[in-house]
């Protein structure tokens, strides 16, 4: 006959006593390990025997020994306690995540889709996780990471791995020439840097990851662009191009304002043209400081591990949507 729920509940509190007694086979030793009086251990064994319906302990000279029934039960008791310990670790880990705060530095271009998508995926598993976000130029993000102001940095390109930093790539995306919708290159299937040699160029400021990439592109083309404007974010850059004030090189804009031209917006509008250069690509990655395993907060470790292992898959649809539009 199977034990009813009431009997199981009565036994649950006795499992640690039975487990320790199985190890020591000594009432005094068990009482010392558990920090309880010997009488408590004796009463626990008596109650357990009564619930089980057979003796679990018998006297053997000055000591005691487990009965065959107790030895049969012992592996099941150990398994039950181990399962409980595992569950307790999970709960405590969740609690650590809820109490912990994850500081992320990121470039402006990742604020609309990339980072929110990653945080949303993490919060679906750890609703109590808290984030501190700081956005800025690539150099500023990596400086915050190095100084300890942030735990993680989402940049393009990611910081090269070194003595104090580690990095992991998440995805690659093309860089495109962005021109006014009436520009002579707007209908081209591809364009070369030589095609805009005399054009006013709208650039991001020094220290931005995209600026270093465009500088490398122009260096490959063998000339310096005629910079008409420098801005602190890609939205302004795209807006200036949309007004016909120059051309620029940016990652895919997806559904950013200005792609669709309408009478209400006057003559504002931009078009992206693929660039015929192997360097016209940027790799987005995550960087973090090297640290001993026990020195990294659980919340930071869990978020970092999710981004590194699942980030490429989570972001694949977003990247595809941007590049196909």
């Amino acid at each position: 006959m199977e034990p009813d729920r009431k009997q199981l509940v009565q036994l649950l509190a006795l499992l640690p006593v039975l487990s320790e007694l199985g190890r020591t086979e000594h009432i005094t030793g068990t009482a010392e390990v558990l920090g309880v009086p010997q009488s408590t251990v004796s009463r626990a064994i008596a109650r357990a025997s009564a619930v089980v319906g057979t003796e679990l302990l018998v006297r053997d000279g000055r000591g005691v020994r487990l009965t065959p029934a107790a030895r049969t039960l012992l592996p099941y008791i150990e398994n039950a306690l181990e399962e409980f310990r595992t569950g307790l670790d999970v709960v405590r880990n969740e609690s650590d995540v809820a109490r912990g705060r994850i500081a992320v530095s990121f470039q402006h271009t990742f604020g609309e889709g990339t980072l929110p998508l990653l945080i949303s995926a993490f919060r679906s598993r750890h609703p109590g996780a808290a984030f501190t976000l700081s956005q800025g130029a690539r150099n500023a993000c990596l400086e915050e990471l190095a100084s300890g102001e942030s735990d993680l940095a989402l940049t393009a390109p990611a910081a090269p791995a070194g003595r104090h930093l580690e990095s992991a790539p998440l995805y690659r995306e093309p860089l495109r020439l962005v021109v006014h919708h009436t520009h002579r290159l707007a209908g081209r299937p591809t364009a070369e840097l030589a095609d805009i040699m005399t054009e006013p160029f709208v650039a991001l400021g020094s220290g931005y990851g995209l600026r270093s990439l465009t500088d490398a592109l122009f260096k490959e083309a063998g000339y310096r662009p005629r910079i008409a404007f420098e801005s602190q974010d890609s939205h302004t850059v795209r807006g200036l191009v949309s007004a016909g004030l120059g051309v620029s090189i940016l990652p895919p804009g997806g559904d950013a304002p200005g792609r669709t031209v309408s009478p209400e917006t006057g003559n504002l509008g931009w078009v992206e043209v693929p660039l015929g250069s192997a360097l016209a690509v940027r790799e987005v990655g995550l960087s973090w400081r090297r640290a001993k395993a026990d020195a990294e907060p659980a919340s930071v470790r869990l978020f970092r591990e999710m981004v590194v292992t699942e980030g490429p898959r989570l972001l694949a649809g977003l990247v595809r949507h941007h590049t196909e539009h």
Side-chain angles (χ1 to χ4, degrees), residues 104 106-126 129 131 133 154 170-171 284 286 302-303 306-322:
V104 184
F106 63 99
Q107 290 174 222
H108 294 88
T109 50
F110 306 131
E112 288 188 352
T114 300
L115 185 59
L117 194 154
L118 294 172
I119 291 176
S120 176
F122 189 71
R123 288 283 291 271
S124 69
R125 307 170 193 183
H126 307 285
F131 286 82
L133 305 180
L154 185 65
L170 298 179
Y171 62 89
V284 180
L286 188 75
L302 289 173
F303 182 65
M306 187 211 73
V307 173
V308 170
T309 59
E310 302 178 42
R313 177 184 59 80
L314 290 170
L315 297 169
L318 179 68
V319 176
R320 186 165 55 250
H321 173 76
H322 280 180

Side-chain angles (χ1 to χ4, degrees), residues 71-142:
R71 294 192 181 281
T72 299
L73 279 175
L74 202 56
Y76 296 96
I77 292 171
E78 293 296 340
N79 288 339
L81 289 174
E82 185 57 36
E83 285 293 316
F84 179 74
R85 291 188 194 101
T86 300
L88 191 59
D89 286 342
V90 171
V91 170
R92 285 174 173 167
N93 205 16
E94 292 279 356
S95 180
D96 287 342
V97 172
R99 288 194 300 268
R101 185 168 289 274
I102 306 163
V104 184
S105 296
F106 63 99
Q107 290 174 222
H108 294 88
T109 50
F110 306 131
E112 288 188 352
T114 300
L115 185 59
L117 194 154
L118 294 172
I119 291 176
S120 176
F122 189 71
R123 288 283 291 271
S124 69
R125 307 170 193 183
H126 307 285
F131 286 82
T132 298
L133 305 180
S134 173
Q135 59 183 342
R138 176 178 181 270
N139 286 1
C141 292
L142 296 179

